[in-house]
Amino acid sequence: MKTAEMMNTYPAEVNLDRDLLTRTVDALVACAQACTACADACLSEDTVTELRKCIRSNLDCADICATTARVLSRHTGYDAEVTRAQLQACSQACKSCGDECEQHAGHHEHCRVCTEACRACEQACNDLLAAIT
Amino acid sequence: MKTAEMMNTYPAEVNLDRDLLTRTVDALVACAQACTACADACLSEDTVTELRKCIRSNLDCADICATTARVLSRHTGYDAEVTRAQLQACSQACKSCGDECEQHAGHHEHCRVCTEACRACEQACNDLLAAIT
Amino acid sequence: MKTAEMMNTYPAEVNLDRDLLTRTVDALVACAQACTACADACLSEDTVTELRKCIRSNLDCADICATTARVLSRHTGYDAEVTRAQLQACSQACKSCGDECEQHAGHHEHCRVCTEACRACEQACNDLLAAIT
Amino acid sequence: MKTAEMMNTYPAEVNLDRDLLTRTVDALVACAQACTACADACLSEDTVTELRKCIRSNLDCADICATTARVLSRHTGYDAEVTRAQLQACSQACKSCGDECEQHAGHHEHCRVCTEACRACEQACNDLLAAIT
């Protein structure tokens, strides 16, 4: 990931803390990938019928994290209201998906790894939310 | 768009009003396309330097509307918290983008058309939010 | 959809036939929505274990159609090579997904409707490909 | 990124070389983020009028890389035709965007860093294409 390098070459002011932003973008991108992979791994399990809700949570979380990563990768015409609202939605999606994956973490390693990605991403979103005035 | 037709073939319960959901998904998809096209049209204007914030709003709104349309197109394992939070973020993105585009609507037809798409989508999101208990 | 209206307000030259482009963007957007909904409907079927490949095809096709719709919604700095290659990938994704959904069209109405969306989108992509010199 | 960890927990056969797949997914995700950030950085440059084509290339490349990363993150119901065609489109998008960014790499550090991300991603796509029989 070249997140920090790209942020440091932005030619105008970045409105939020750069380290916090970089950490959050990287957590979002990692969580989106993990959720996409977890949905696919769940789909191939023998017990797929018990994993329907997990797959759906994964798909939502992947889409929401990917979009939030893009919003945070842009600094031009910063809009605190949109940034805050999207981060809140993303924090909720990561919490819901993490809670769902955690229930299957004992049986499926992909759900265990994905829970870690969701928890880390939820924390990063909450940390950034706390920094938005 | 086959939104209604697809929704009516869903094999289990749909938790929200189908007409309202269909109208919202269609408004989201139309707004995402209009915002993508408006960002590109702004980019080709002679006065692009005055449209920077508009382009950025368009890009965010396109991403957020596309993701929200996907969340609403899924009914399996419905999660009211995620749905509500993403709709709130989308309503805010449409409001911000509509406000920004409206300032240029007198000079640029694409901003005028895009304002209409954003206002319609914001209204649809708010109507659906009011229906989520 | 405001696809035609937005295209007609683009301030510079559009390199491809506007009617053909509009028809293709609309087909892509409709196919992306149908595939997202079909994946979710398949996931809620009792026979989900027989629909694994169909769900995966739907998810790929939704992503690829959504991206192709965005590429075609932009006219600034037109690049025939990228446009052609992405259309070819999209035509293939629609063919694969249509073939897979068609096998389940007799049992699941959502697969039947989704097959129609995939076939229409594949045809639109092929028609546009034929127009790119 | 938990790409390798997620791939190693997939419960069925992965059809392509896991190291090569992991490297490609990571390059795609990094390139998508760099291109999103480069489009935004270009938009804030004083010389934005000279960077219109670069911004458009960045937006296309970001969308195409993100979609390709998702296709490669799924292994269920592997389809060589779709995988190959999407990789070819992605290789072309990275080449076009890398060529465009490279022209501005002497003046803008974000274009220089983004060129690196595009070249690395194009190479990873080509390496994976060579492995698809």
Side-chain angles (χ1 to χ4, degrees), chain D residues 5-21:
Chain D
E5 220 178 333
M6 288 305 295
M7 207 176 293
N8 288 332
T9 62
Y10 180 71
E13 195 187 354
V14 174
N15 287 272
L16 296 164
D17 181 78
R18 286 165 188 250
D19 288 347
L20 197 48
L21 260 182

Side-chain angles (χ1 to χ4, degrees), chain A residues 52-53 56-57 59-61 63-64 67-68 70-79 81-83 85-86 88-90 92-93 96, chain B residues 52-53 56-57 59-61 63-64 67-68 70-79 81-83 85-86 88-90 92-93 96:
Chain A
R52 295 180 215 254
K53 188 176 169 56
R56 193 265 160 96
S57 281
L59 295 176
D60 278 6
C61 198
D63 287 335
I64 291 172
T67 280
T68 309
R70 286 180 164 217
V71 172
L72 297 182
S73 297
R74 299 175 184 129
H75 314 298
T76 307
Y78 172 71
D79 184 320
E81 300 303 318
V82 173
T83 306
Q86 188 55 43
Q88 285 168 338
C90 197
Q92 179 62 58
S96 288
Chain B
R52 295 180 215 255
K53 187 177 170 55
R56 194 266 160 98
S57 281
L59 295 175
D60 277 5
C61 198
D63 286 336
I64 292 172
T67 280
T68 309
R70 286 179 164 218
V71 171
L72 298 181
S73 297
R74 298 175 184 129
H75 314 298
T76 307
Y78 171 71
D79 184 320
E81 300 305 316
V82 172
T83 307
Q86 188 56 42
Q88 285 168 339
C90 196
Q92 179 62 56
S96 288

